[in-house]
Amino acid sequence: MTATIIIPPNADPNSELESHPQLENTPEISHESEPKKVISLEDFLVKPADRMEWVDGNLVEKTGITFKHSLAQSKLARFWGNYKDSSGQGGEVLTEILCRTSKRGRRPDVAYITPELLPESGNFTAFSQSFPLIAEVASPEDSGEELFAKAQEYLESGCLEVWLLFPETRLVFVNAGQSWRLFNADEVVNTQSVLAGFSVAVSELLA
């Protein structure tokens, strides 16, 4: 999804607003070579802001959600959730819950956490690593290069399998840690290493 850098209200108005006057009314990311560090990752993980990710010291809002994006996200969460129950594999399926990667604080569109990794309390604000199975849904404004880079970030931080959904072109890419597999609209996409045995027609998932 499209990212928008947010300047916190307690930031120095002179240093921030003068150096970033365009951020107040534009959805574009600042391309400054050295963005200001406005909050530490540790502080963000303790008390994260809604719909925000932490990227290189900046709070980045997840935006650009369309009807197709929301529909694909909710469908996949429902399909994974129903399957983990019917197959007896357990665990939980989550949407936009914060996790810590090796570099950043991310909110995957859909994530599956195995029973073994669920905290005993059954509750957490931010997971300490990437979830085992993660899906990101592309919006029309997303950069494919950025999505694949984010997927690699997940895989380097404990994730075992990543799905990238492209609703507009009805394509699904899956990576279980070695290489990308492409599933077209007339094919059935299936899990490779996590939530074993799950499959769904791409045409049904991205109708």
Side-chain angles (χ1 to χ4, degrees):
M1 290 181 284
T2 305
T4 303
I5 295 180
I6 304 298
I7 302 300
N10 60 350
D12 184 340
N14 294 322
S15 61
E16 291 294 345
L17 295 181
E18 290 179 6
S19 59
H20 301 282
Q22 76 281 15
L23 294 181
E24 200 169 331
N25 297 304
T26 179
E28 297 186 0
I29 300 174
S30 170
H31 297 288
E32 295 287 339
S33 58
E34 296 184 2
K36 276 193 173 293
K37 299 294 186 286
V38 297
I39 186 174
S40 71
L41 177 56
E42 288 69 24
D43 289 343
F44 174 70
L45 293 175
V46 170
K47 193 175 181 180
D50 291 342
R51 300 197 59 78
M52 296 290 183
E53 294 185 329
W54 187 96
V55 179
D56 302 331
N58 292 292
L59 298 185
V60 179
E61 184 179 13
K62 296 188 70 174
T63 61
I65 298 175
T66 64
F67 173 79
K68 285 186 176 181
H69 179 287
S70 181
L71 184 61
Q73 181 185 25
S74 61
K75 275 189 174 183
L76 185 60
R78 184 171 71 253
F79 290 157
W80 280 358
N82 290 341
Y83 183 76
K84 60 95 175 171
D85 289 337
S86 63
S87 66
Q89 296 183 54
E92 294 294 344
V93 175
L94 313 165
T95 57
E96 299 188 26
I97 297 298
L98 190 66
C99 70
R100 179 174 188 161
T101 69
S102 59
K103 303 175 182 178
R104 301 180 172 101
R106 296 292 195 183
R107 292 183 183 275
D109 286 330
V110 187
Y112 167 70
I113 182 170
T114 59
E116 297 78 16
L117 292 177
L118 279 172
E120 293 184 4
S121 66
N123 188 33
F124 57 88
T125 300
F127 194 48
S128 60
Q129 64 179 59
S130 293
F131 296 100
L133 177 61
I134 284 174
E136 289 284 359
V137 184
S139 74
E141 300 175 358
D142 276 333
S143 160
E145 183 176 355
E146 290 177 352
L147 280 177
F148 280 99
K150 181 184 283 191
Q152 188 60 39
E153 182 183 327
Y154 288 137
L155 291 169
E156 293 172 353
S157 307
C159 182
L160 301 176
E161 184 172 337
V162 179
W163 288 32
L164 296 181
L165 281 59
F166 292 82
E168 295 294 334
T169 52
R170 301 175 76 190
L171 297 174
V172 179
F173 289 84
V174 177
N175 190 323
Q178 296 182 346
S179 60
W180 286 100
R181 294 188 60 188
L182 169 63
F183 296 86
N184 295 291
D186 59 349
E187 295 181 306
V188 173
V189 58
N190 56 279
T191 49
Q192 308 297 304
S193 61
V194 185
L195 205 58
F198 173 80
S199 63
V200 64
V202 174
S203 59
E204 182 180 2
L205 178 59
L206 304 178

